[in-house]
Amino acid sequence: MTRKIIIDTDPGQDDAVALLLALASPEELDILGIVAVAGNVGLAQNARNALKIVELSGRTEVPVHAGCERPMRRKLVTAEHVHGPTGLDGPDLPEPQKKLEDKHGVDYIIDTLRTEPPGTVTLCTLGPLTNVAMALVKAPDIAPRIREIVMMAGAYFEVGNITPAAEFNVYVDPEAADVVLTSGVPITMIPLDVTHGVLSLSHRLEGFARIGNRCGKAVSEMLNFSERFDMEKYGNEGAPLHDPCVIAWLLKPDLFDGRKINVTIETTSELTRGMTVADYWRITDRPKNVLYLRSADDDAFYALLTERLARLP
Ligand code: RIB
Ligand code: CA
């Protein structure tokens, strides 16, 4: 039984790898659509990058929508220092022939959730939560219709990556993260605590290049570009690979472990804005609103990724 998903994303090289993993897995995942959000770079560029990745995969039937251009309340913060000015630096991918859909991404999320049978659509978020939060604010009736939200977001034991306290996706739009985490929708959160345990070590990147297809080559070039910043920052032999963990959770949840806890978002302090305050030891009686994943089997994760990328052109 395939699982219907909408992927909300700000491609970024790691988002691109997550998209390719999903596009390579049609037996398990029915990608209803992809929605771009402002984050790693500006919205227009992220949307263009999503079109490029869909074309690279050969799955040009998958629709791509553009969503919100900026966070709900704050000025947009981007990450060209990690992803390069295009957001997808590394490979030289052709300009996309495929066009964006006319419908705004927030309306696409709302309309799809209202049309599909309740409880059958999973939202996979790989960037700031602006689009999903705006959909919940504009159409509160969709909340009980969402099967699950699986998000790459947050950090607790690994602390922040854009500030000492906050992970980038939550930092960019903390109000959106707060709207989503208090929505009552079932949430699986994949934080830096997980992604910092799945490092793109050189033999793993070489494994992608050795696949011998255009997607393996592009992934190797993307990650060789984007990892340089994190390797410098963390001093590891490889960079964390964030967003593909969301798709890997859907494909092989047994690779991960975690627990149901409360996670609350800091939205007022400027010092700790965007911090995901995770009650991991269940000290408070705050509602357990999140399945918070803490670790993953990194060898199995990369074996899955390599095997699936080999299915693409
Ligand atoms: O903090 C990592 C997250 O921020 C990833 O989703 C990456 O693509 C960036 O958006
Ligand atoms: Ca992302």
Side-chain angles (χ1 to χ4, degrees):
M1 175 80 168
T2 56
R3 184 164 176 154
K4 292 176 182 173
I5 66 172
I6 294 173
I7 304 176
D8 193 89
T9 177
D10 61 336
Q13 290 88 349
D14 62 315
D15 300 68
V17 180
L19 291 171
L20 289 172
L21 178 57
L23 290 158
S25 308
E27 291 89 35
E28 294 101 328
L29 302 174
D30 175 6
I31 307 173
L32 301 178
I34 294 169
V35 181
V37 66
N40 280 323
V41 291
L43 175 69
Q45 189 62 55
N46 285 338
R48 204 150 129 255
N49 291 341
L51 291 170
K52 287 186 176 182
I53 294 306
V54 165
E55 285 191 345
L56 181 71
S57 77
R59 297 275 317 274
T60 51
E61 81 280 5
V62 177
V64 178
H65 296 255
C68 295
E69 292 200 28
R70 48 148 291 191
M72 293 180 88
R73 190 168 73 77
R74 299 169 187 262
K75 195 170 160 317
L76 177 63
V77 171
T78 53
E80 283 84 354
H81 59 290
V82 178
H83 301 278
T86 73
L88 207 57
D89 285 40
D92 181 16
L93 298 178
E95 281 311 300
Q97 300 307 304
K98 182 177 171 65
K99 299 291 176 236
L100 287 173
E101 304 299 313
D102 292 337
K103 186 178 284 187
H104 190 283
V106 172
D107 294 324
Y108 169 73
I109 291 169
I110 293 169
D111 294 348
T112 305
L113 285 165
R114 283 178 171 161
T115 309
E116 294 293 335
T120 60
V121 178
T122 296
L123 304 183
C124 302
T125 66
L126 313 180
L129 288 151
T130 314
N131 290 335
V132 174
M134 291 293 282
L136 287 164
V137 168
K138 182 171 183 182
D141 61 285
I142 66 171
R145 301 180 71 91
I146 302 170
R147 174 174 171 178
E148 179 183 15
I149 300 173
V150 186
M151 57 176 66
M152 191 279 133
Y156 196 60
F157 297 95
E158 274 298 308
V159 298
N161 60 359
I162 187 78
T163 73
E167 178 276 324
F168 179 79
N169 289 339
V170 180
Y171 177 77
V172 169
D173 200 341
E175 285 71 25
D178 184 48
V179 165
V180 175
L181 262 68
T182 55
S183 66
V185 174
I187 291 169
T188 298
M189 181 178 278
I190 304 180
L192 299 182
D193 306 349
V194 170
T195 68
H196 282 207
V198 291
L199 300 181
S200 54
L201 303 173
S202 55
H203 74 276
R204 291 167 170 166
L205 295 188
E206 285 151 19
F208 295 145
R210 270 201 309 278
I211 294 172
N213 60 3
R214 69 183 191 211
C215 288
K217 177 173 180 290
V219 164
S220 166
E221 291 165 347
M222 283 182 216
L223 297 183
N224 273 301
F225 177 87
S226 59
E227 71 162 13
R228 83 222 175 283
F229 179 81
D230 279 349
M231 282 169 74
E232 175 70 28
K233 176 159 76 170
Y234 299 117
N236 291 331
E237 290 304 301
L241 186 48
H242 307 292
D243 295 339
C245 290
V246 168
I247 307 303
W249 159 258
L250 294 178
L251 296 173
K252 287 186 182 289
D254 298 346
L255 300 188
F256 300 82
D257 72 12
R259 61 169 59 171
K260 282 279 280 186
I261 61 169
N262 175 268
V263 176
T264 300
I265 308 294
E266 172 60 67
T267 55
T268 52
S269 152
E270 272 317 299
L271 175 64
T272 56
R273 147 208 171 160
M275 181 175 182
T276 44
V277 180
D279 184 5
Y280 200 80
W281 308 118
R282 298 167 175 157
I283 295 166
T284 73
D285 57 1
R286 293 173 194 157
K288 295 180 179 60
N289 57 336
V290 166
L291 173 58
Y292 188 86
L293 301 188
R294 176 118 190 247
S295 65
D297 175 339
D298 60 337
D299 285 331
F301 169 75
Y302 277 92
L304 170 68
L305 194 42
T306 308
E307 183 267 321
R308 293 296 162 106
L309 288 173
R311 298 185 185 186
L312 294 168

